[in-house]
Amino acid sequence: MTGQSVHDVFGSGQHEAQPLGLVPTHPPHSSNTTTIEGPLFSVQLTRLLDDGGIVLGVSVHHILMDVQGLCTVLGAWAAGVRGKDPLPRLVGGGDQAESGMIRTLLLCGTADKTAAVESEASSIFTQGPPLTGGPPPSFSLPRMQLIQLVLPSAAIDRFRGDADFLSSNSIISALLWSAVCRARGISDDVETSLAFVVDGRRRISPPLPPEYLGNAAFYGMAHGTGVGSRCVEELARLVHYAVAAATQSASLRATLRWIEAQPRKDTLHNPFVTAFLGKNVAISNWSSLPLADIDFGTGGPFAWDLPRSPLAMDGIAIILPASPAVAAWRGALTVYLGLMCDHADQFLRDERVREFVVEG
């Protein structure tokens, strides 16, 4: 690839990798897992001839693994390139009983059956027709916009106040939840929900090995009224307690039991579906991913990012560590949020979030 350098493409933190041809492209997967087409895992290597930089573009189907599993695979690959044995990163030191490749690990263990946790599991998922990978031909999606925000740690601390127990995840989730409700014009008497994802590897009992390669992503939800008018710290406390409840091992096991008992799993819709073109918000936090540790022999990556176009999904946000390519962003967190264009215009005018928006 000529005429481009690593600094040209990634230095501003505002590039769009997909039109530049830096990520693998193939026909979109159907969301119906019985009709999977195309590769489940694909990799593209692009050399930037101006400065010798290399861009590694990766695409993986979620049915194969979650993003933590993907980082494990990339870390093992990088270890192999550096001349180290990659297998310990994949099989937990070689003990088959703790291997990250044994999918049945999620079925091990027992938990007390209680009506409360079973009810919570059933309330997280909605029943509907099987997803077919896209809208019907007669359905026209509204125009959507992807908003990028960068939040320094000092700004997160400002919202946290004296509540030191509140995590950055709770603060950012609360900030986005309230701002999206205001942008959508949702009145205070309407209940909305915040859907989120938690990594169950360490939280479930018995715990999964950190190298587990499957999907260990569990869903949780926080609910509230008057979200657009409430202060960030108050909402962050609500998120904090919802996360604590969702990450109890008994709750995670109950969710697995409930899903296993459903006769038509292809009709189960996760709570992120309720955010798209709806009143709710859904957030996936990837800020703890060990991206900086993926070393193919030349040190950690100069930058990382996600293809922008697929992220422009109404009401859905992803949190990442900010790209190290931009010196001013180091130690900060980046948020990508999709909204319908009309709502995005209102969001960008919001005084609570406007200072964090990346222009461009």
Side-chain angles (χ1 to χ4, degrees):
M1 182 175 178
T2 60
Q4 298 280 351
S5 69
V6 169
H7 287 273
D8 292 336
V9 178
F10 296 99
S12 70
Q14 301 177 44
H15 67 285
E16 166 56 290
Q18 206 162 29
L20 293 175
L22 299 177
V23 292
T25 58
H26 45 72
H29 292 291
S30 168
S31 297
N32 182 347
T33 57
T34 62
T35 58
I36 295 173
E37 299 177 358
L40 295 180
F41 189 97
S42 53
V43 177
Q44 176 179 318
L45 184 69
T46 304
R47 297 184 183 274
L48 303 178
L49 299 181
D50 281 16
D51 63 358
I54 294 176
V55 180
L56 185 67
V58 181
S59 175
V60 62
H61 196 294
H62 215 318
I63 194 174
L64 191 63
M65 64 185 68
D66 57 23
V67 68
Q68 185 65 49
L70 174 60
C71 281
T72 296
V73 170
L74 293 177
W77 181 11
V81 170
R82 299 197 312 272
K84 297 185 176 182
D85 184 359
L87 284 180
R89 292 174 175 262
L90 297 177
V91 298
D95 183 355
Q96 188 179 26
E98 297 183 355
S99 170
M101 292 192 251
I102 306 299
R103 296 300 183 97
T104 53
L105 286 173
L106 261 183
L107 302 180
C108 299
T110 59
D112 295 334
K113 282 195 174 185
T114 67
V117 291
E118 296 287 359
S119 175
E120 178 66 21
S122 63
S123 68
I124 290 175
F125 293 87
T126 57
Q127 298 275 356
L131 297 176
T132 59
S138 60
F139 184 78
S140 178
L141 287 173
R143 290 179 59 246
M144 299 183 198
Q145 180 176 340
L146 184 70
I147 299 168
Q148 182 181 5
L149 304 95
V150 173
L151 287 95
S153 57
I156 296 173
D157 289 339
R158 189 174 76 231
F159 286 112
R160 183 181 287 115
D162 296 330
D164 294 337
F165 66 93
L166 293 176
S167 67
S168 297
N169 175 75
S170 296
I171 297 293
I172 294 176
S173 297
L175 180 67
L176 293 178
W177 189 12
S178 61
V180 170
C181 283
R182 289 192 296 274
R184 287 172 167 171
I186 296 175
S187 60
D188 283 349
D189 61 336
V190 174
E191 183 181 72
T192 62
S193 300
L194 173 80
F196 53 85
V197 177
V198 295
D199 182 3
R201 285 170 176 78
R202 293 173 299 170
R203 295 180 170 102
I204 203 163
S205 180
L208 299 173
E211 303 85 6
Y212 181 74
L213 294 184
N215 280 286
F218 290 80
Y219 297 99
M221 299 185 79
H223 311 279
T225 57
V227 170
S229 300
R230 295 162 76 171
C231 73
V232 171
E233 182 185 333
E234 180 185 1
L235 284 175
R237 290 174 183 267
L238 187 63
V239 175
H240 171 82
Y241 294 120
V243 171
T247 54
Q248 296 295 318
S249 180
S251 178
L252 300 180
R253 288 292 177 191
T255 297
L256 292 175
R257 286 198 305 270
W258 184 85
I259 292 174
E260 184 62 27
Q262 303 311 302
R264 288 292 305 276
K265 297 176 181 57
D266 58 343
T267 66
L268 298 181
H269 298 175
N270 71 57
F272 276 45
V273 173
T274 67
F276 184 67
L277 303 181
K279 63 178 183 177
N280 298 332
V281 179
I283 297 178
S284 187
N285 187 346
W286 298 356
S287 63
S288 62
L289 294 178
L291 299 173
D293 299 332
I294 300 174
D295 178 8
F296 283 87
T298 58
F302 173 79
W304 51 73
D305 212 337
L306 298 171
R308 307 296 175 85
S309 300
L311 295 181
M313 301 288 286
D314 180 59
I316 297 176
I318 293 179
I319 305 173
L320 277 173
S323 172
V326 183
W329 294 0
R330 289 174 186 168
L333 296 177
T334 292
V335 178
Y336 294 113
L337 169 69
L339 285 175
M340 288 192 290
C341 286
D342 290 346
H343 297 157
D345 290 342
Q346 296 299 318
F347 184 95
L348 294 173
R349 297 190 187 102
D350 193 311
E351 293 183 354
R352 290 195 196 178
V353 296
R354 188 170 53 194
E355 65 179 291
F356 308 119
V357 173
V358 178
E359 303 292 343

